Amino acid sequence: MSETLPVELLGPPALPADHDPLADGILMAHQRAWLEDQSPLKIAAKGRRTGITYAEALDDTLIAATSRSGGGDNVYYIGDTKDKGLEFIRYVGHFARVVSKELAQVEEFLFEDQRDDGQTKHIAAYRVRFASGFQVVALSSRPANIRGLQGVVVIDEAAFHKDVGLVLDAVNALLIWGGRIRIISSHNGEDNAFNLLINDTRAGLYDYSIHHIPFFLAVQNGLYERVCLMRGWTPTADGKEEWLNKILRSYGPRTEARDEELGAIPRKSSGSYLPRALVQKAQQEGIPIIRWSKGESWYLDDKRLAEAKAWFKEHIEPLLDRLDPKRRTALGQDFARDGDLSVIDVAQAIDHTRWATAFQLEMRRIPFDVQQYVLFEILDRLPRMQRAALDARGNGQSHAEAAQQRFGVERVLCIKATQQWYAAAFPEYRAALEDRSWILPAGEDVIADHRLAVLVRGFPTVSDDHVKGSDGEQRHGDSMIASLLAHHASQAEAEEYAYRPALPAATGSARDRFMRDDDDFDTGHGSFARDLRGGF
């Protein structure tokens, strides 16, 4: 249910009731430049608190207050937090009253977000409606269907949105119906999709108008004097120096953070633990990535195992047959049943220190029993199988334990990835990528997965974020985790002992019997005999 509140109760406390943003000496030069730029696509790469959101709120108020014939339109503001949306709509409510002379009210309501699959979700939102028939809406969270928003769409602090790449991809579709896009953000690392969009625009791939607004430009344009005006201070030269030094000293030795947050310079050491350039360096063309997905209800199909066997024979057996029988092999699996991918990474040694992925298998919505069949068939056929490391968290625990029961604790590791395990495994994995002693398959999906390895309080871990893969569905670092597990499995030799009983004298010498064809020995011994032939 919508609740209408008087604009006075929601007005920004920092703005006096008679504050007029169009009065002389209020707008700074960079704010005026932003307002005067009427490009359909605009980007502001800014330092913090430089007043661009304020200027955007003023511009959006004027747009929504204008008739359709005059170029008016609806405006949708998407901030990275609910508080940002409320602050923005408070500015709009104030400007509507002071600039547009409208008795506008700020309303809190539920915004109906219609997803592509037909499902509906309701998002808390705030809006100001104008006599023109248009409105400014501030959403508390990112809608799933940004493409459904028609008008002016403002993405604030875009670099800090969850799934920022998906957000930026979605807003581009708005241009089809004449929409306008405003992307405003401080930086969040050079590998962030926001910075990549700016770089691609400068390279001529997009038509965004770029505004670079560092904190120091805002200071030059009168930011300190505006702060004094809002705070009721008297601006002085000494006061300005003290104010500026206090801000700069708050960063201490964190110069990269200072340059990023104030100077609008993306730092190299962002939250990403495995940067794009590092992953690209470790990639090699030609390594197969096999993708297998089924529908949600396939687990009820009585013929699923027969179908899986036929699929395995066609797609996986040829890859297993191509493995070098003289080289050591390791396997890692990041398990998932639905939602995320279940990925198996098979790697072979190149020499004593270097390994390369032989192939990756990505499975989506594959039932438990079919995944177990696939894993067991692969493990049974791997030459000189050193070890396998399997994800044993959540649903993966049963899957990993079954493999350990079948193949033994020496050959199958059940890994419950904790912060401590990541802290030990990730640095070794990163070092292997840096010196190319671990080779990855090529492709953007592999890069996107690896970029979800992040530093949190100085320790490497996996981000909670998801990214959209080349198949249009969600990924959560799945191939990266499978590769990390395979690398872990490759780092120590597995030892296996077997007992062969003495043979009766009537059958001939033991040496003669051992040198015969292995068919008799295979009986009852399964994969171990095959491992001996492969040189285990």
Side-chain angles (χ1 to χ4, degrees):
M1 179 180 295
S2 298
E3 180 183 0
T4 302
L5 299 175
V7 70
E8 290 78 16
L9 296 181
L10 288 175
L15 294 181
D18 60 349
H19 174 82
D20 184 355
L22 299 180
D24 289 341
I26 297 298
L27 290 175
M28 293 174 278
H30 61 278
Q31 292 174 309
R32 291 195 301 271
W34 180 256
L35 289 169
E36 291 166 0
D37 185 353
Q38 296 302 305
S39 305
L41 303 174
K42 291 197 300 186
I43 294 178
K46 66 182 186 67
R48 293 196 179 277
R49 311 306 294 183
T50 48
I52 289 300
T53 301
Y54 173 99
E56 181 61 35
L58 174 58
D59 194 21
D60 295 337
T61 301
L62 297 174
I63 291 172
T66 303
S67 65
R68 184 178 299 276
S69 61
D73 214 334
N74 291 314
V75 179
Y76 297 92
Y77 172 90
I78 305 171
D80 62 326
T81 66
K82 182 177 180 179
D83 290 342
K84 289 274 183 65
L86 183 55
E87 179 186 31
F88 180 85
I89 209 67
R90 284 173 172 170
Y91 282 129
V92 171
H94 179 89
F95 298 153
R97 179 171 58 84
V98 174
V99 177
S100 301
K101 308 301 181 184
E102 295 206 27
L103 297 177
Q105 290 183 316
V106 174
E107 301 173 359
E108 184 176 3
F109 73 107
L110 292 178
F111 175 82
E112 186 174 333
D113 179 23
Q114 185 76 35
R115 299 172 182 243
D116 292 336
D117 60 7
Q119 295 183 354
T120 298
K121 179 182 177 182
H122 289 89
I123 300 173
Y126 309 96
R127 69 183 169 198
V128 175
R129 292 193 277 191
F130 292 81
S132 63
F134 297 118
Q135 59 184 351
V136 177
V137 177
L139 301 172
S140 63
S141 61
R142 181 179 70 83
N145 185 19
I146 293 179
R147 295 173 178 85
L149 306 179
Q150 294 303 321
V152 179
V153 176
V154 182
I155 311 293
D156 199 2
E157 290 299 355
F160 295 88
H161 279 256
K162 183 178 181 180
D163 299 336
V164 56
L166 301 183
V167 173
L168 299 180
D169 288 343
V171 296
N172 289 328
L174 301 172
L175 296 175
I176 296 172
W177 292 96
R180 287 172 279 180
I181 301 168
R182 312 286 185 250
I183 300 176
I184 302 168
S185 188
S186 47
H187 276 292
N188 187 23
E190 65 177 6
D191 290 330
N192 188 275
F194 173 69
N195 186 54
L196 296 178
L197 177 63
I198 292 175
N199 291 340
D200 288 343
T201 299
R202 288 173 174 156
L205 300 180
Y206 297 102
D207 295 325
Y208 283 91
S209 170
I210 300 175
H211 294 245
H212 183 245
I213 309 164
F215 173 79
F216 305 103
L217 174 64
V219 172
Q220 178 182 325
N221 289 342
L223 180 60
Y224 166 70
E225 289 74 19
R226 269 65 172 187
V227 171
C228 290
L229 177 66
M230 303 300 292
R231 294 289 185 179
W233 302 341
T234 300
T236 65
D238 290 342
K240 183 175 183 177
E241 183 176 357
E242 181 182 354
W243 169 79
L244 187 57
N245 285 337
K246 182 178 181 181
I247 293 170
L248 297 178
R249 287 179 60 81
S250 69
Y251 288 91
R254 298 181 301 121
T255 55
E256 281 192 338
R258 180 199 64 204
D259 291 345
E260 181 171 69
E261 295 189 5
L262 299 182
I265 302 170
R267 54 178 161 178
K268 297 183 183 298
S269 54
S270 67
S272 177
Y273 182 68
L274 301 173
R276 167 183 286 269
L278 172 62
V279 180
Q280 286 178 318
K281 176 184 174 183
Q283 288 183 312
Q284 180 174 300
E285 296 287 346
I287 298 175
I289 299 178
I290 309 302
R291 297 178 172 90
W292 188 28
S293 65
K294 303 297 290 184
E296 293 286 355
S297 61
W298 191 59
Y299 75 98
L300 297 174
D301 189 334
D302 292 338
K303 298 180 181 179
R304 63 185 180 278
L305 281 173
E307 183 180 340
K309 291 177 182 179
W311 178 89
F312 187 94
K313 184 176 182 63
E314 178 181 356
H315 295 280
I316 304 302
E317 278 192 9
L319 299 177
L320 294 170
D321 291 342
R322 285 166 49 186
L323 296 177
D324 190 331
K326 297 180 181 180
R327 299 185 184 277
R328 293 170 294 148
T329 312
L331 179 146
Q333 181 176 12
D334 179 37
F335 183 88
R337 170 58 182 87
D338 50 23
D340 296 330
L341 283 166
S342 191
V343 179
I344 292 177
D345 185 288
V346 174
Q348 278 205 304
I350 302 172
D351 52 35
H352 291 298
T353 60
R354 296 184 301 144
W355 290 70
T357 301
F359 68 87
Q360 275 187 358
L361 168 59
E362 298 183 354
M363 297 177 284
R364 191 181 294 278
R365 293 181 294 273
I366 302 302
F368 292 99
D369 56 349
V370 175
Q371 288 204 48
Q372 184 178 104
Y373 163 77
V374 170
L375 175 66
F376 284 10
E377 285 295 309
I378 291 176
L379 289 176
D380 253 336
R381 299 164 189 249
L382 291 183
R384 299 192 64 189
M385 204 276 278
Q386 184 162 298
R387 284 197 310 184
L390 307 182
D391 169 24
R393 300 166 300 173
N395 289 334
Q397 183 171 4
S398 174
H399 183 72
E401 285 183 355
Q404 198 172 64
Q405 290 164 350
R406 168 77 176 270
F407 296 95
V409 296
E410 290 294 334
R411 302 180 69 192
V412 174
L413 305 177
C414 294
I415 304 296
K416 293 184 178 180
T418 61
Q419 183 65 63
Q420 291 75 21
W421 187 84
Y422 281 139
F426 261 128
E428 294 182 354
Y429 183 64
R430 174 170 174 149
L433 297 180
E434 288 174 342
D435 63 16
R436 284 183 59 83
S437 61
W438 189 264
I439 304 300
L440 299 170
E444 279 297 320
D445 287 342
V446 175
I447 294 174
D449 281 349
H450 279 74
R451 288 180 60 197
L452 290 181
V454 296
L455 281 172
V456 176
R457 294 185 294 275
F459 294 96
T461 187
V462 180
S463 169
D464 291 332
D465 292 348
H466 286 71
V467 296
K468 183 181 288 188
S470 58
D471 60 356
E473 299 199 62
Q474 296 294 303
R475 305 175 69 92
H476 183 222
D478 313 297
S479 69
M480 178 267 293
I481 298 172
S483 183
L484 175 67
L485 289 166
H487 177 265
H488 179 72
S490 73
Q491 294 306 290
E493 294 287 352
E495 296 183 10
E496 185 165 336
Y497 301 90
Y499 166 72
R500 179 171 298 157
L503 300 175
T507 62
S509 71
R511 182 182 185 280
D512 290 343
R513 176 64 183 267
F514 184 76
M515 295 302 292
R516 289 182 197 168
D517 186 90
D518 285 324
D519 288 345
D520 292 338
F521 184 62
D522 277 354
T523 304
H525 292 78
S527 62
F528 182 61
R530 289 194 293 274
D531 286 336
L532 284 173
R533 287 203 301 271
F536 178 78

